[in-house]
């Protein structure tokens, strides 16, 4: 009965995989992976059929090993393509393939030598091969991109089921536990159940494009090393079982001695650690750098923000130092005179640019800018560098400083924004094409960040100048008004100098003018705050009376309405705005027509109107010219008064509107927030 189960079990597996083979042959083979998949189907079918008709034939063991080798080859073909394969990846797959190769040797020896240790060794090799294959499947699927996993999921599950079953089967045989024969009988069914999984996976084989990261390779190496260690120790224990030699103690002493020497050499010495890192990267991987990891770290360092983030210059240096394993660096830029200067430093132990070396520094800067090449300073000192590098006139303070190891130009739009000098790492090595390409590309990214920072700084400076010019234009307009008052005062002094009342008024006017000039100068200070920040409840009578008094000498200006009201204003700013509007009204009105300033309450607001009886303005002038700076109809006007008045009122939260028609005069209306106390009083009165 058990023989029939075993026969039909393996026969079913053979039939399933033959059907898969015929189906995929009809679809054709376009890639190496397609051919390996067909080979896996064919050898699995062959192994299953041989196991069905003669389970004890040595060809069964050969067919099983060949099947495993083909499936491992398929995994290897999926892991990468062409030159992208890593040396470490090849080592991992080579180790697993070597185990299967040893199986072939053991199978051959079993034909001529029949011994218990050889059978146990053969079983151990099968356990190790199955475990190693599962490690490869796990890391291939785990390290694949999320978009790729869906295309290989079913095929990886099928291979995992085959090798998990084999691992359990041979482990039970090695331990001598019962139930091994039953597992052998049903082994064909287990393999047959994987055929639908392979069929589902084969439909998506065109999307089988997988690339492993370095983490996957190191994980595979570490897991494989653990499996190999246990396999070797078990093989040795089996082979030396009966010799009487206490080999375990000797092996343990040798292992501890090796680990101790390695730790004494590598751990205390940064140079040894750097050397080991360089050699591992060189011999285990096709490329020196894990470009994805390096780029993510580089951009994260450059883009770091927050109060605890170092300045951009230091972040740029650190980003390059992390790439090249450099202990520090220096960022060089040019000053206004063209000489080199240090913009930032990060753990830089070398020299700084000396003063007075401008001429040679300028030539050096232009040569680096035009070539855009990475400066390998060790090659420059040793005169074995590239001819294009040797013609660059490197300043002596850089060439003579042994700490300076490499220079990375930061070029953006063909302009050199800076040069990063990197200090020599603990293990000093020559740069290769990978270093040049990565550092040059990273240099462009860092240059973009520096260019953006320079642009932001220039924009900030321009905004500060714009703010200063705006305040200066306002102040200049106010000075013009003061000059007009003082000119009138000087003309009247010639006629009324002997009048005591005039002299008293003149002294008061001069003191007021001096005070206003000091206030105007204070407004030019960079520490001057915005007027709106000083808004507070203030009575309007005093503010309006002072603004009207300055213009009442030559024209009749009347204050009407409830001037006892208070509003939330900046007293100085409101006085200036009212003064500008009253002066414009006086200049526009006939001498016999008074200018009126009226105050009235309106709900939670206070309304101040300035009305004249001048010629008025049309709608086009009001919309397009009235509040535009430097637009004036007066021959000696600056065109600032109305613009400044609206700006000052808006800064304190108010609103300025105008109503005017040609021939009917002009009325300016200012709406201000009423002071809370006044609002409460008005509500009680109502």
């Amino acid at each position: 009965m058990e023989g029939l189960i075993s026969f039909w079990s393996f026969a079913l597996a053979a039939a399933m995989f033959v059907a898969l083979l015929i189906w995929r042959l009809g679809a054709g083979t376009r890639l190496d992976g397609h051919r390996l998949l067909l080979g896996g189907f064919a050898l699995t079918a062959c192994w299953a059929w041989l196991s069905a008709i003669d389970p004890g034939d040595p060809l069964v063991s050969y067919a099983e090993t060949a099947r495993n080798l083909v499936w491992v080859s398929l995994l290897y073909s999926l892991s990468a393509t062409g030159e992208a394969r890593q040396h470490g990846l090849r080592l991992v797959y080579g180790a697993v393939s070597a185990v299967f190769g040893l199986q072939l040797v053991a199978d051959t020896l079993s034909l001529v030598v029949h011994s218990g240790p050889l059978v146990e060794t053969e079983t151990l090799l099968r356990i190790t091969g199955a475990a190693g294959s599962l490690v490869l499947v796990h890391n291939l699927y785990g390290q694949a991109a999320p978009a790729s996993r869906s295309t290989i999921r079913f095929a990886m599950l099928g291979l995992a089921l085959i090798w998990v079953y084999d691992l359990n089967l041979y482990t039970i045989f090695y331990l001598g536990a019962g139930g091994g024969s039953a597992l052998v009988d049903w082994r064909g069914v287990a393999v047959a159940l994987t055929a639908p999984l392979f069929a589902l996976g084969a439909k998506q084989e065109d999307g089988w494009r997988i690339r492993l990261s370095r983490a996957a390779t190191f994980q595979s190496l570490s897991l494989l090393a653990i499996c190999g260690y246990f396999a070797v120790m078990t093989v040795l224990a089996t082979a030396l079982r009966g010799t009487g030699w206490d080999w375990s103690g000797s092996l343990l002493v040798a292992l501890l001695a090796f680990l101790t020497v390695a730790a004494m050499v590598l751990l205390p010495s940064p140079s040894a650690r750097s050397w080991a890192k360089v050699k591992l990267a060189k011999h285990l991987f096709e490329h020196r750098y894990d470009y994805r990891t390096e780029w993510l770290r580089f951009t994260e360092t450059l883009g770091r923000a927050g109060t605890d983030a170092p300045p951009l210059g230091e972040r740029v240096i650190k980003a390059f130092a992390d790439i090249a394993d450099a202990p520090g660096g220096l960022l060089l830029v040019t000053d206004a005179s063209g000489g080199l200067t240090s913009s930032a430093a990060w753990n830089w132990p070398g020299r700084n640019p000396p003063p007075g070396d401008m001429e040679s520094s300028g030539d050096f800067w232009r040569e680096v800018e035009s070539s855009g090449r990475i400066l390998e300073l060790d090659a420059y000192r040793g005169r074995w560098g590239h001819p294009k590098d040797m013609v660059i006139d490197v300043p002596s303070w850089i060439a003579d400083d042994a700490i300076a190891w490499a220079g990375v130009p930061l070029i953006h739009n063909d302009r050199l924004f800076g040069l990063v000098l990197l200090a020599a790492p603990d293990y000093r090595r020559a740069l290769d094409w990978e270093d040049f390409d990565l550092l040059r590309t990273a240099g462009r990214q860092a240059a973009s960040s520096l260019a953006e920072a320079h642009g932001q700084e220039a924009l900030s400076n321009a905004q500060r100048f714009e703010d200063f010019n705006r305040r200066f234009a306002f102040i200049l307009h106010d000075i013009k008004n003061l000059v007009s008052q003082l000119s009138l005062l000087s003309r009247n002094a010639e006629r009324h100098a002997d009048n005591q009342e005039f002299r008293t008024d003149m002294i008061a006017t001069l003191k007021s003018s001096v005070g206003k000039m000091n206030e105007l100068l204070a407004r030019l200070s960079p520490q001057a705050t915005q007027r709106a920040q000083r808004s507070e409840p203030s009575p309007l009578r005093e503010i309006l009376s002072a603004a009207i008094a300055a213009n009442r000498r030559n024209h009749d200006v009347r204050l009407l309405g409830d001037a006892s009201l208070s509003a939330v204003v900046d007293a100085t700013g409101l006085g200036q705005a009212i003064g500008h509007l009253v002066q414009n009204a006086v200049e526009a009105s006939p001498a016999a027509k008074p200018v009126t300033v009226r105050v009235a309450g309106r709900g939670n607001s206070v309304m101040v109107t300035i009305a004249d009886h001048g010629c008025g303005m049309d709608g086009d002038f009001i919309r397009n010219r009235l509040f535009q700076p430097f637009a004036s109809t007066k021959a000696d006007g600056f065109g600032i008064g109305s613009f400044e008045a609206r700006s000052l009122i808006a800064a304190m939260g108010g609103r300025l509107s105008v109503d005017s028609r040609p021939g009917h005069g002009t009325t300016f209306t200012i709406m201000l927030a009423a002071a809370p106390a006044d609002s409460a009083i008005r509500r009680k009165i109502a």
Side-chain angles (χ1 to χ4, degrees), residues 30-59:
R30 297 181 299 275
L31 301 174
D32 292 339
H34 297 171
R35 289 187 285 271
L36 288 172
L37 184 64
L38 293 177
F41 291 160
L43 286 174
T44 303
C46 180
W47 162 79
W49 181 247
L50 290 174
S51 299
I53 59 176
D54 192 359
D57 195 300
L59 290 177

Side-chain angles (χ1 to χ4, degrees), residues 247-270:
W247 58 274
S248 58
S250 302
L251 183 61
L252 181 61
V253 171
L255 180 62
L256 289 177
F258 173 77
L259 294 177
T260 301
V261 172
M264 291 176 62
V265 171
L266 293 177
L267 294 181
S269 173

Side-chain angles (χ1 to χ4, degrees), residues 60-80:
V60 174
S61 297
Y62 286 121
E64 180 180 351
T65 303
R67 177 205 69 179
N68 291 334
L69 280 172
V70 172
W71 286 130
V72 169
S73 299
L74 176 63
L75 295 178
Y76 179 63
S77 70
L78 294 177
S79 63

